[in-house]
Amino acid sequence: MSMRDYMMRFCAGILVVALVMIFLRWVTVVVLIEGCKWDNALTQLVLWDNWRLPERIHPREKDIDWAGLYPFLEPEPERNLLAEMRYRENKLREKQARFADWSETYFPGYTGIVETGRCYDQLIGWDIRPITTGSVQVLPDGWLFFPTLPFDIQEYIEETAGLADFCHTQGAKFLFVPNPPALDEKSDGKFIGRVDFSLQKKDAMLQGLQNRGIDTLDLYPRMRAAFSDRPYHQLFFRTDHHWLPTTGLWAAGQIAGWLKEAAGVPLREELLQPENYRQEQFAAYFLGSQGKRRTRVLAEPDDFMLLYPQFPTNLHYEIPGLGIDTYGDFSVTYDRHEVERKDFYGSNPYAAYNFADCSLIHIENFAQDAADVKILVVKDSFANSVAPFLALCVKQMDILDPRWFKGSIRSYIKKNQPDIVLVIHTMELDYPLERDSHQDDYDFR
C-alpha cells in the first residue's frame, strides 16, 4: 500500500471520527437535554467547550407574523433578471453563513483547533489578511477593523430619503445619524481610500440626504472634537467593531441635543452626562467579533462595562419576540446572561445592552420630567448602547431592527404615529440592497 493510500485512509478516519463526535453532541443536546430533560455531569462533559449550545439550537425570537401585523403598503414587485441575481447571491451568502455557524456550533473543540492553527501561522510568520468584506485588518496600535469596500450607495440614499419623505407625510420629524467609521482620517490616512471606504460612504450618504433637505447628524467630527485628548480608536473596542458603551452614552447626549435644539423637544440633556452613571467593570472580559476571528492567540480581550444611572429610573420594558414584559429600573434593559461567566467565544457581553438585536422593543418611561414625545428608532447594533440611555429622556420609545423586523416599517409608522423617527445606522454598505427576505439593514418600506 502506498503512502498516498495511507494518507487517504487516515484522513477518511479523521472525518468519520469528526462526524461521530458531531452526531454524539447533537444526540446529547436534542435527545437527552431537550427531549429527556436529562442534564447532568455527563451531558456537560460532552458540551465541555460550548455550554450555551442547548439554547442556540432554537430561534432566538419566537415567530411573530410582523408582515401580518404591519403589512407592506405596496405589492411586492416582480423580480427582474438583476433582482433575481441579487436574490440568489444573498441566498448563497446566507447558506455559507449557516454552514460556518453550524461548524462552529456542533464541532467539538472547534475553537481549540482554530487557535492551534493561529499558533502555527504565528510560528511560521504567516499572517496573510485578504482585503475582503468581513476580513479582519490590524491597525498599527493593535486595534482591529473590518474593511468596507468601494460601492455605489445611491440606492441606499434613495431608500433613506424615501423613508424621510414618508415620515414627513405622517407628521413625524426625521433624523439620520450614521455610525462613525472605525478609522480616523488623521491617523489612518494610508488605509482610508485604499483599504477602507466607510468615510467616503458616510460623506456621500450625508451629502445625498442634505441635498434633499433631510436632517442629518454627523457624529464623526463631533467625536474627534469632544475627545481630542485621546486617540480616536480608543472610543471603540480593540477587538470589536462597536464603540464603547461610554461612547454610546455620549452619542445619546448628542442626539438629545439635536432633539432639543432642532426639534424643540424639552428634554433634560443632563441625564446623559457621564458623571451621572456608575460603571460596573469586567476586566479582560470581552473578545469581540473581530477578536474571535483572530482568536486569543493574536488578540487580547477587551475590558467591558455596564453603565447604571445614579438617579431614579422607572421603566416598562417589553420585547415581544423574547416574551419579555417587565417593569423596573434601568437594569431591566440588560441581558445579564451575556456577562454571567467569562467565555470569550460563547458569550457576547456587548449583547447585554438592550438584549442585543431584537425585532421590536418598547420602552415606556414613567419619570415625571420625561419629555412627552414618542420616538421610533430604526437601528443596527451600534444603537444598542445608545437608545436605552436616550429613552431615559422621553416618555416612549420604540426600537426596530430591520434585520429582524419582517413587517413594513412604514405601516408601523402609520399605525403608531411617532413624533420623531431616528435612523441610527451603519455605513458598511458593500452589497446591493436586498428586499426579498425583508431583513436588509436598509429595507425601509
Side-chain angles (χ1 to χ4, degrees):
M1 187 179 295
S2 66
M3 179 61 67
R4 179 175 177 273
D5 293 330
Y6 280 117
M7 290 300 299
M8 290 183 63
R9 290 190 178 189
F10 175 78
C11 292
I14 293 295
L15 179 60
V16 170
V17 171
L19 292 175
V20 169
M21 294 174 68
I22 291 173
F23 179 73
L24 175 63
R25 178 166 280 191
W26 181 86
V27 169
T28 300
V29 174
V30 176
V31 178
L32 298 182
I33 296 179
E34 291 289 315
C36 302
K37 308 299 179 186
W38 187 37
D39 190 6
N40 54 28
L42 180 60
T43 58
Q44 293 306 312
L45 178 62
V46 176
L47 305 181
W48 59 275
D49 66 331
N50 198 340
W51 63 282
R52 298 187 68 173
L53 182 55
E55 65 190 67
R56 287 181 174 171
I57 66 173
H58 300 291
R60 184 168 181 267
E61 291 197 29
K62 60 184 180 182
D63 189 21
I64 297 177
D65 184 13
W66 293 119
L69 294 171
Y70 303 100
F72 289 85
L73 302 179
E74 299 178 359
E76 295 283 342
E78 292 187 8
R79 290 200 297 263
N80 56 27
L81 179 60
L82 177 59
E84 182 66 26
M85 292 176 61
R86 289 182 177 181
Y87 173 76
R88 293 182 180 276
E89 181 183 359
N90 281 294
K91 283 297 180 184
L92 179 60
R93 283 201 297 268
E94 289 175 10
K95 289 179 179 179
Q96 291 172 336
R98 280 199 298 269
F99 180 78
D101 182 66
W102 181 86
S103 301
E104 296 175 14
T105 300
Y106 281 101
F107 195 91
Y110 176 84
T111 55
I113 295 173
V114 175
E115 284 186 338
T116 301
R118 293 288 185 269
C119 287
Y120 178 73
D121 291 343
Q122 189 178 44
L123 180 66
I124 65 174
W126 184 275
D127 189 20
I128 295 178
R129 298 186 294 271
I131 303 174
T132 59
T133 300
S135 65
V136 179
Q137 305 298 316
V138 184
L139 294 168
D141 59 5
W143 259 251
L144 309 178
F145 75 98
F146 290 133
T148 174
L149 307 180
F151 190 77
D152 183 2
I153 65 167
Q154 186 61 37
E155 186 178 22
Y156 292 90
I157 296 173
E158 298 297 337
E159 186 74 7
T160 308
L163 178 62
D165 293 341
F166 179 81
C167 290
H168 295 151
T169 66
Q170 298 299 308
K173 293 183 173 64
F174 180 91
L175 175 67
F176 178 78
V177 185
N179 298 323
L183 302 188
D184 178 28
E185 57 187 356
K186 180 179 180 181
S187 59
D188 305 316
K190 66 179 182 180
F191 296 100
I192 295 174
R194 298 178 181 178
V195 177
D196 182 79
F197 292 80
S198 55
L199 189 62
Q200 287 88 339
K201 293 176 183 177
K202 173 190 72 70
D203 291 340
M205 174 68 83
L206 293 177
Q207 189 63 54
L209 296 179
Q210 291 166 4
N211 289 343
R212 291 163 171 79
I214 297 170
D215 288 321
T216 64
L217 180 62
D218 189 358
L219 295 176
Y220 173 64
R222 293 175 177 235
M223 282 176 61
R224 297 183 65 204
F227 300 98
S228 58
D229 59 336
R230 61 189 295 188
Y232 177 81
H233 299 155
Q234 293 183 11
L235 301 174
F236 299 80
F237 288 108
R238 184 175 59 254
T239 66
D240 195 73
H241 60 291
H242 294 107
W243 49 23
L244 300 175
T246 47
T247 312
L249 174 62
W250 171 85
Q254 297 299 302
I255 296 171
W258 182 91
L259 292 172
K260 187 173 184 178
E261 297 170 12
V265 179
L267 49 73
R268 295 178 57 195
E269 293 179 80
E270 64 272 17
L271 295 179
L272 301 177
Q273 294 300 315
E275 58 268 21
N276 292 325
Y277 289 79
R278 172 180 63 86
Q279 297 184 7
E280 180 183 5
Q281 296 284 348
F282 300 83
Y285 211 84
F286 177 38
L287 192 65
S289 57
Q290 298 158 341
K292 284 181 171 67
R293 297 191 185 190
R294 290 191 52 86
T295 76
R296 289 193 61 197
V297 175
L298 301 175
E300 290 295 325
D302 281 288
D303 295 336
F304 188 74
M305 69 181 70
L306 295 177
L307 303 178
Y308 294 89
Q310 298 191 98
F311 51 86
T313 54
N314 185 11
L315 305 175
H316 174 208
Y317 189 73
E318 182 182 6
I319 307 178
L322 299 183
I324 294 175
D325 189 351
T326 187
Y327 295 80
D329 61 19
F330 186 78
S331 64
V332 300
T333 69
Y334 285 139
D335 182 5
R336 297 285 308 190
H337 186 45
E338 295 291 350
V339 294
E340 67 181 46
R341 69 167 71 179
K342 183 184 288 189
D343 184 350
F344 296 120
Y345 298 104
S347 296
N348 176 15
Y350 184 78
Y353 276 89
N354 215 28
F355 283 78
D357 301 322
C358 301
S359 53
L360 175 63
I361 299 177
H362 302 290
I363 304 179
E364 187 178 2
N365 183 6
F366 297 112
Q368 293 183 352
D369 55 358
D372 189 12
V373 66
K374 181 192 296 187
I375 293 179
L376 172 63
V377 176
V378 180
K379 61 86 182 177
D380 62 10
S381 55
F382 267 73
N384 292 341
S385 59
V386 177
F389 298 119
L390 187 61
L392 296 175
C393 299
V394 300
K395 286 290 187 185
Q396 183 174 331
M397 176 179 287
D398 292 346
I399 305 169
L400 287 180
D401 192 321
R403 297 168 297 177
W404 304 105
F405 182 80
K406 293 187 178 182
S408 167
I409 293 177
R410 299 190 185 194
S411 285
Y412 191 91
I413 293 170
K414 189 173 183 179
K415 183 175 181 179
N416 292 278
Q417 292 294 301
D419 301 301
I420 300 169
V421 176
L422 303 178
V423 174
I424 307 174
H425 236 297
T426 185
M427 298 309 302
E428 295 176 358
L429 309 174
D430 296 321
Y431 299 106
L433 199 156
E434 188 272 316
R435 300 178 183 277
D436 292 278
S437 67
H438 304 304
Q439 288 185 283
D440 193 285
D441 297 42
Y442 276 80
D443 187 354
F444 294 151
R445 290 174 295 168

